[in-house]
């Protein structure tokens, strides 16, 4: 995937309803001019994917999912496969979000398997990486993030890895109201780009963690950043529309 236009991905997490899909998409689709030139992706929970797919049909906003099974099919009760998601028109899938790593026991092996599943059906994996507050305090942010990336890189090879989007999301910044400083974002993402470039890989790097309408333009216009992964601020249509339009203005 090219790195030209900025991307804003809204991750609804375990929130939302059919009513929210309807009112949210109406606001977004009625105001397309405000975010023309950037790519917007919405990732509702699985149960709202079909309603979201129907509401977004024919418009500029892409459909994304928050998770995918590491398996292709079979006796895996409660799982949703990559082919199932793709058949609903899902174009992207968030993989390795810190909430899943921390509370659902997702390790690097499982995450790499999910990335493979997504790629096998042509969905773009949005691979999330980031350090804890303790790791940051120890000065280990860069090493931790590179370790998370390199496990997947080794599992799938550099050619496939180049098809990913990577989201740098410091864990301590998620849902906390404090974003990483622009200096820190620049330092980490410059290092990631440099390491990947040595392998001939160029891919979009997003930032996530307490992004809102007020800070979106500044963060998304950093030279190493191709867009934003947004949690809380993607649940209210007016706020998300403003966030997208501020990103488009800064693009
Ligand atoms: P937040 O979440 O924007 O609410 O901090 C970001 C994320 O979890 O991707």
């Amino acid at each position: 995937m090219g790195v030209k236009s900025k991307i804003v991905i809204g991750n609804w997490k375990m929130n939302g309803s059919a009513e929210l899909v309807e009112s949210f998409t109406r606001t977004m689709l009625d105001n397309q001019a405000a975010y023309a030139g950037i790519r917007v992706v919405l990732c509702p929970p699985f149960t709202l994917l079909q309603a979201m797919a129907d509401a977004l049909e024919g418009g500029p906003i892409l459909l994304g999912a928050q998770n995918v099974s590491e398996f292709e099919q079979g006796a895996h009760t409660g799982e949703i496969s990559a082919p199932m998601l793709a058949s609903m028109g899902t174009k992207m899938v968030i993989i390795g979000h810190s909430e899943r790593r921390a509370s659902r026991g997702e390790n690097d092996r499982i995450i790499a398997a999910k990335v493979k599943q997504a790629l096998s059906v042509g969905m773009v994996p949005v691979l999330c990486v980031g350090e804890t507050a303790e790791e940051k305090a120890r000065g280990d942010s860069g090493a931790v993030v590179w370790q998370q990336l390199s496990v997947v890189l080794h599992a799938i090879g550099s050619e496939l890895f180049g098809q990913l989007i990577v989201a740098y999301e410091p864990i301590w910044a998620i849902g906390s109201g404090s974003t990483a400083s622009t200096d820190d974002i620049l330092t980490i993402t410059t290092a990631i780009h440099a390491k990947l470039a040595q392998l001939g890989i160029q891919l979009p790097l997003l930032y996530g963690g307490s992004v809102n309408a007020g800070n979106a333009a500044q963060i998304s216009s950093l030279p190493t950043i191709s867009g934003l992964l947004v949690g809380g601020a993607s649940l209210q249509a007016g706020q998300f529309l403003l966030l997208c339009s501020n990103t488009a203005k800064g693009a």
Side-chain angles (χ1 to χ4, degrees), residues 4-5 28 37 46 49 75 79 105 124 133 140 143 154 157 160 163 171 174-175 177-178 187 197 199 216 220 225:
K4 290 215 170 55
S5 49
M28 290 300 292
F46 287 138
L49 277 172
E79 292 290 289
V124 178
D140 287 346
H154 287 124
L160 285 181
Q163 298 176 23
I171 295 169
I174 294 175
S178 38
T187 302
L199 302 165
S220 63
I225 291 294

Side-chain angles (χ1 to χ4, degrees), residues 10 12 36 72 132 207 218 232:
W12 280 12
E72 189 184 344
T132 63
Y207 169 80
Q218 188 191 23

Side-chain angles (χ1 to χ4, degrees), residues 11 13 97-99 169 173-177 208-211 229-233:
N11 172 13
K13 307 192 179 184
H97 191 283
S98 64
E99 286 155 16
E169 297 204 300
I174 294 175
S176 67
S210 296
V211 174
L229 179 51
V230 185

Side-chain angles (χ1 to χ4, degrees), residues 205-219:
L205 276 183
L206 313 185
Y207 169 80
S210 296
V211 174
N212 57 42
N215 58 30
Q218 188 191 23
I219 298 173

